[in-house]
Amino acid sequence: MSHIGLEETLLGGQSFSWTATTESSWKGVIGKSVVELRLTKDRLTWRTGKKHPFAEKKLRNYLWLDPSFAEAVDSLPWRSDPVLDRCMKALPGLRILRQPMDEVLLVFLLSSVKSIPQIKEMKELVARKYGEPLELDLWSFPGWERLAEIPEAELRDLKMGYRAKYVHGVARQIAINPSMLREVVEQPYEEAKAKLLGLPGVGPKVADCCLLFGASRTNAFPIDTWISKTLEMHYGLGGWSNNQQAHFAFKHYGKHAGLAQQFLFSGERLGLHEKA
DNA sequence: ATCCAGGGTGGAG
DNA sequence: CTCCACCCTGGA
């Protein structure tokens, strides 16, 4: 685990629950637990609040700290793909977090045409207003049952804009079918994705983000503007439709294409491919 | 001051 | 498949 790899994992746009507290420590909320991570000389340590403790076993799962991570990394085509290899070498230890599906769905519902700081702000406004206070300046995600009680207009005041309609609509659908998100996490990829696509404001990109970040489906390959740009600039896929690019991704990157996506996304974001 | 784009989606042509 | 409105905010 490298400093840049962990920093990108926590702050690079797959989670909006973490904040840097010092140069090498980060504080985040998982469910109702507050967790602080610290990385000193390649060694990861952590502590958790005592009111809502987060077990070590759960944290290891959240951070994908089991041998299947190394296997997934090795399965990527870095041997034959210099673009991917450059990203992987620059971001050692970058990984996919195993986050709670309900929170992931909210933040990516809010993500359309928004930057990372803006998404984080909207999420924090929701938590602050409707969530449970955990620490000074930290609140939990309120849950979809709570969000279902809130009028759309009230959500609009939280800087959501037209996304308020999506949040309200999704909350109502989940209220009608409370087991839906659990099913999405458990079902095979195709069925789960179809179920997510039935929700208002959830298109292919958001659905794949939910499956990748909230259900450990590392084959899910969300295609956003950054990835599309990478595929155009460095793989010669200019003019390809999103479907064509998705097909390429699955064939080229394999069953953990979503992990490749995260390396490429961060690489593009950090400008790794700018010519020196 | 205006203009524009920021991890898209839904609806129409 | 392509085009564009959708809300709002911050930076050029």
Side-chain angles (χ1 to χ4, degrees):
Chain A
M1 183 87 72
S2 68
H3 183 277
I4 181 73
L6 182 58
E7 172 117 333
E8 266 302 294
T9 299
L10 298 174
L11 308 180
Q14 63 172 298
S15 175
F16 302 87
S17 305
W18 294 87
T19 309
T21 46
T22 73
E23 177 61 31
S24 57
S25 60
W26 301 266
K27 185 180 278 195
V29 178
I30 314 171
K32 291 187 178 184
S33 303
V34 177
V35 176
E36 186 158 17
L37 299 175
R38 180 183 302 274
L39 189 66
T40 42
K41 285 182 292 195
D42 248 29
R43 182 133 209 102
L44 184 67
T45 55
W46 60 285
R47 60 201 189 91
T48 169
K50 46 179 177 272
K51 190 173 177 188
H52 298 286
F54 201 68
E56 174 169 356
K57 190 178 168 189
K58 289 176 69 178
L59 186 64
R60 299 184 79 82
N61 178 64
Y62 179 88
L63 294 173
W64 197 0
L65 291 175
D66 56 86
S68 70
F69 173 67
E71 288 170 29
V73 165
D74 194 57
S75 80
L76 298 180
W78 51 275
R79 296 170 182 83
S80 60
D81 181 337
V83 176
L84 177 62
D85 188 54
R86 189 183 316 152
C87 298
M88 292 172 68
K89 294 288 187 293
L91 297 158
L94 177 67
R95 61 198 56 233
I96 306 294
L97 298 171
R98 291 171 175 147
Q99 303 176 74
M101 170 61 82
D102 53 356
E103 295 186 40
V104 171
L105 175 57
L106 174 70
V107 292
F108 285 97
L109 213 44
L110 296 175
S111 71
S112 79
V113 200
K114 283 291 179 186
S115 62
I116 291 174
Q118 291 174 313
I119 299 165
K120 196 157 185 278
E121 186 188 10
M122 288 184 281
K123 186 204 170 182
E124 285 171 358
L125 286 171
V126 169
R128 179 182 296 257
K129 187 151 186 185
Y130 308 109
E132 177 182 321
L134 301 173
E135 270 189 17
L136 183 65
D137 232 38
L138 281 182
W139 287 263
S140 68
F141 168 66
W144 285 102
E145 308 76 17
R146 179 74 185 92
L147 294 181
E149 302 168 349
I150 300 158
E152 180 187 327
E154 201 173 310
L155 294 171
R156 260 176 202 262
D157 292 337
L158 305 180
K159 303 191 178 183
M160 286 187 195
Y162 62 83
R163 298 160 200 81
K165 182 156 42 116
Y166 300 157
V167 173
H168 185 71
V170 166
R172 294 196 59 91
Q173 292 248 10
I174 292 176
I176 292 168
N177 183 3
S179 62
M180 183 172 67
L181 292 187
R182 185 179 49 75
E183 290 164 14
V184 162
V185 171
E186 291 170 358
Q187 281 175 331
Y189 175 80
E190 295 296 342
E191 280 116 298
K193 186 166 180 180
K195 195 161 281 186
L196 286 167
L197 289 174
L199 295 171
V202 178
K205 191 272 179 185
V206 171
D208 276 330
C209 284
C210 290
L211 291 169
L212 178 59
F213 303 130
S216 322
R217 301 303 167 76
T218 50
N219 59 313
F221 192 89
I223 295 183
D224 56 56
T225 53
W226 293 90
I227 278 299
S228 204
K229 181 182 167 194
T230 291
L231 294 179
E232 283 174 26
M233 303 279 291
H234 308 297
Y235 290 85
L237 304 193
W240 289 40
S241 72
N242 280 14
N243 271 337
Q244 291 170 315
Q245 291 187 343
H247 188 252
F248 166 85
F250 181 70
K251 285 202 61 165
H252 178 63
Y253 299 114
K255 64 178 178 179
H256 299 295
L259 179 59
Q261 189 269 0
Q262 205 56 29
F263 280 112
L264 295 167
F265 175 80
S266 287
E268 192 67 52
R269 227 171 61 82
L270 299 176
L272 288 185
H273 309 301
E274 313 283 316
K275 38 182 170 288

